[in-house]
Amino acid sequence: MISTQTQTIQPRFNEPMKNRGSYWITTFGCQMNKADSERMAGILRNMGYEEASTELNADLVLYNTCTIRDNAEQKVYSYLGRQAQRKRSSPHLKLVVAGCVAQQEGEALLRRVPELDLVMGPQHANRLETLLNQVDNGQQVVATDEHKIIEDVTTARRDSKICAWVNVIYGCNERCTYCVVPSVRGKEQSREPKAIKLEIEKLAQKGYKEITLLGQNIDAYGRDLPGITSSGRRQNTLTDLLYFIHDVQGIERIRFATSHPRYFTTRLIKACSELPKLCEHFHIPFQSGNNDVLRRMARGYTIEKYKRIIYKIKELMPNAAISSDVIVAFPGETESQFKNTIQLIKEIGFDQVNTAAYSPRPNTPAAKWPDQLPEEVKVNRLKELNILVEKIARQRNNRYINQIEEILVENINRKNNEQLMGRTRTNRLTFFPKRNHQNKSYSIGDLVKVEINEIRSFSLGGVIAK
Ligand code: SF4
């Protein structure tokens, strides 16, 4: 077993290597993991691997893992158990664990699953080829050392041909007391604006219409990059980046996630209201509706500040959609503090809220605190919250009825191939028949005006507008 040191990636352009067999990637967790998996798939294809038809006949199996909550972490172990058994009868099989569980557990994972060939943290995703070459030399590899993320030149194997994730900042320097991300994804590393724009230009040339800029804490983009303006303002902020990439021809829509209220500025809100391609959907986690809980979470803002951000957005973009993340039953959260969360959700009227009960995570301060709440309280508060969130999402959808919405067609409805599916600029999934009243049919990649005539809690239905 060797622990790797920093090595540069030798690019190889469009000349796939000999057939190395087939690969299968299973991705758990967030968009950052999905984007990492797309890049790792691109590297494997460039090395000469083909995508396997099923997990059980792949020659290389890679699990890109998540540890944001305990149940997410536990998932990978059941998958690994099956593959470890398979490996005992097929020794050529390569088993790889990537992502946040790999970073969190490192060598301990090899003790738990000795059949593993490679354990690699998120910062090493772009180095997959180098690490697999070491495996091919007969080594068992653990790559979890802090690492400067190198621009990857291989072409990501993207799931969509229309919408693309574009990483702009990796890692997080915040220290939210419940969160495992900083310890598994490391310090913030912003990509250079020019490298980001080049990637977006290449995507546009390939026909991509929508990009989503990604970062765990995207509003902090650029704070590790040099550059202060004459007025002392930081250059290379997310707002500057949005202006810089906005003119890429062919890209119709720009989105970004995930935001942090601590860094969400009025300048950013103004830019989003001025730049036509910026979609009117903002994902800004508030986590709790109570200031004492926010203080103990070390979130770095108050509910009053949060509301000011949302009301400024609604002032400049009245139709904007707001989504969020919330944690209930954080250690010590009282019933009345929980009611503050309920109250905030009613007051803001979120289009969507991702809900979770607090889950103690390794290497996080809150996991060691004495006032952990019982499972029953977690289950009850989550249940009450989910009922409310769904009710409000449906109420919020009423505003779409009989409205004409612009939909970017992303796919054919798998359940009905006479229907297309895509999202509004406000990120609402919408289904509609692919032909208009003159029997003209539309397809993936088209921007279509749809008249909304049906609402559900988290999606819409309609017909192509006359
Ligand atoms: S901002 Fe907080 S919750 Fe978000 S990734 Fe960073 S530490 Fe975690």
Side-chain angles (χ1 to χ4, degrees):
M1 187 282 298
I2 62 163
S3 133
T4 67
Q5 296 312 315
T6 309
Q7 288 151 345
T8 52
I9 297 176
Q10 299 312 320
R12 187 200 331 279
F13 293 99
N14 308 327
E15 26 132 345
M17 298 291 284
K18 65 181 187 347
N19 182 355
R20 291 196 182 208
S22 62
Y23 75 87
W24 182 271
I25 297 179
T26 299
T27 306
F28 303 90
C30 67
Q31 295 144 322
M32 301 293 286
N33 256 12
K34 291 197 179 95
D36 288 350
S37 290
E38 289 183 342
R39 284 202 314 285
M40 291 192 280
I43 292 170
L44 289 170
R45 290 182 72 88
N46 205 53
M47 289 174 70
Y49 284 93
E50 286 300 321
E51 192 164 7
S53 52
T54 71
E55 181 179 348
L56 291 177
N57 63 16
D59 302 302
L60 183 151
V61 173
L62 186 153
Y63 295 120
N64 192 7
T65 57
C66 170
T67 189
I68 202 76
R69 274 176 284 283
D70 187 52
N71 56 4
E73 179 186 347
Q74 296 314 320
K75 270 195 201 133
V76 72
Y77 296 119
S78 58
Y79 283 71
L80 276 174
R82 274 200 303 274
Q83 291 295 345
Q85 198 160 7
R86 218 183 123 215
K87 172 127 186 179
R88 286 192 278 278
S89 54
S90 324
H92 80 284
L93 169 66
K94 289 196 192 78
L95 266 186
V96 181
V97 174
C100 298
V101 175
Q103 185 67 37
Q104 176 183 290
E105 299 302 309
E107 284 160 26
L109 213 45
L110 289 188
R111 288 192 291 280
R112 186 164 177 171
V113 189
E115 293 80 4
L116 281 171
D117 297 289
L118 171 56
V119 174
M120 51 184 291
Q123 292 187 338
H124 295 266
N126 295 354
R127 303 184 57 238
L128 180 59
E129 178 169 0
T130 307
L131 301 170
L132 282 174
N133 289 341
Q134 288 162 14
V135 170
D136 289 342
N137 297 339
Q139 287 140 6
Q140 207 177 25
V141 180
V142 175
T144 52
D145 53 308
E146 184 82 18
H147 184 73
K148 172 101 185 83
I149 295 175
I150 295 170
E151 277 296 315
D152 173 29
V153 290
T154 49
T155 311
R157 176 121 177 87
R158 296 175 188 272
D159 292 344
S160 167
K161 296 263 177 294
I162 301 298
C163 304
W165 314 111
V166 176
N167 286 103
V168 298
I169 179 172
Y170 301 96
C172 183
N173 290 4
E174 300 301 302
R175 286 293 174 271
C176 303
T177 54
Y178 54 83
C179 185
V180 73
V181 170
S183 66
V184 288
R185 284 193 169 260
K187 291 197 190 64
E188 283 162 13
Q189 299 187 41
S190 299
R191 294 176 65 200
E192 292 293 335
K194 283 202 178 75
I196 295 167
K197 189 164 188 175
L198 181 63
E199 181 177 354
I200 297 170
E201 284 163 348
K202 283 187 182 161
L203 288 167
Q205 283 152 19
K206 287 194 187 122
Y208 281 85
K209 294 278 172 46
E210 177 181 296
I211 52 150
T212 300
L213 306 180
L214 283 184
Q216 306 288 160
N217 179 9
I218 198 164
D219 311 319
Y221 171 77
R223 67 178 173 182
D224 55 322
L225 294 177
I228 296 287
T229 65
S230 54
S231 61
R233 182 181 63 74
R234 191 162 57 78
Q235 263 178 326
N236 293 325
T237 63
L238 176 64
T239 308
D240 299 309
L241 181 66
L242 293 175
Y243 281 109
F244 181 59
I245 61 160
H246 190 264
D247 62 358
V248 174
Q249 294 304 305
I251 297 295
E252 304 282 349
R253 289 179 167 189
I254 300 173
R255 302 179 186 273
F256 58 89
T258 293
S259 287
H260 194 304
R262 195 175 196 171
Y263 306 103
F264 208 95
T265 62
T266 302
R267 186 167 171 263
L268 175 60
I269 299 171
K270 284 201 176 117
C272 294
S273 68
E274 283 165 14
L275 294 169
K277 296 180 184 179
L278 256 291
C279 289
E280 299 80 9
H281 165 237
F282 302 93
H283 184 65
I284 315 175
F286 74 91
Q287 302 299 8
S288 169
N290 177 274
N291 283 338
D292 290 338
V293 176
L294 287 176
R295 227 182 330 276
R296 298 179 73 230
M297 287 178 165
R299 288 289 287 168
Y301 55 84
T302 61
I303 286 306
E304 290 71 25
K305 171 165 185 188
Y306 186 84
K307 286 194 234 180
R308 281 197 300 277
I309 292 168
I310 303 302
Y311 293 140
K312 188 71 187 171
I313 290 172
K314 293 196 175 195
E315 177 199 322
L316 298 182
M317 295 164 275
N319 216 19
I322 310 288
S323 61
S324 194
D325 300 341
V326 63
I327 294 172
V328 292
F330 184 71
E333 183 190 67
T334 63
E335 187 59 25
S336 73
Q337 289 171 335
F338 169 61
K339 291 298 179 213
N340 294 146
T341 293
I342 294 284
Q343 183 47 39
L344 183 74
I345 290 174
K346 287 179 180 166
E347 194 177 321
I348 302 273
F350 290 97
D351 294 76
Q352 183 144 358
V353 180
N354 305 321
T355 62
Y358 172 72
S359 170
R361 303 312 299 134
N363 314 319
T364 60
K368 304 183 190 73
W369 294 351
D371 43 4
Q372 305 290 327
L373 299 183
E375 208 46 41
E376 192 204 349
V377 172
K378 291 182 179 181
V379 170
N380 293 343
R381 287 183 184 171
L382 197 55
K383 198 161 156 231
E384 182 179 343
L385 194 69
N386 287 339
I387 292 167
L388 175 68
V389 160
E390 180 158 356
K391 188 172 130 226
I392 291 179
R394 184 183 261 294
Q395 285 166 352
R396 284 286 292 162
N397 276 354
N398 285 332
R399 73 188 196 280
Y400 293 103
I401 281 292
N402 302 332
Q403 296 301 307
I404 307 284
E405 289 289 325
E406 177 206 74
I407 309 294
L408 173 59
V409 180
E410 292 173 32
N411 223 325
I412 292 167
N413 180 357
R414 268 193 291 276
K415 294 195 187 107
N416 172 355
N417 60 17
E418 280 308 308
Q419 277 203 334
L420 298 174
M421 57 187 284
R423 283 169 295 135
T424 62
R425 289 174 62 92
T426 51
N427 206 37
R428 244 328 162 231
L429 197 55
T430 306
F431 299 86
F432 57 97
K434 64 183 176 190
R435 295 177 193 287
N436 70 3
H437 63 292
Q438 292 161 330
N439 209 25
K440 176 180 180 313
S441 70
Y442 290 79
S443 50
I444 295 173
D446 290 344
L447 279 169
V448 187
K449 298 279 184 217
V450 171
E451 182 170 349
I452 305 301
N453 56 16
E454 196 186 344
I455 61 156
R456 293 171 282 266
S457 299
F458 300 111
S459 67
L460 307 171
V463 292
I464 297 175
K466 292 199 174 95

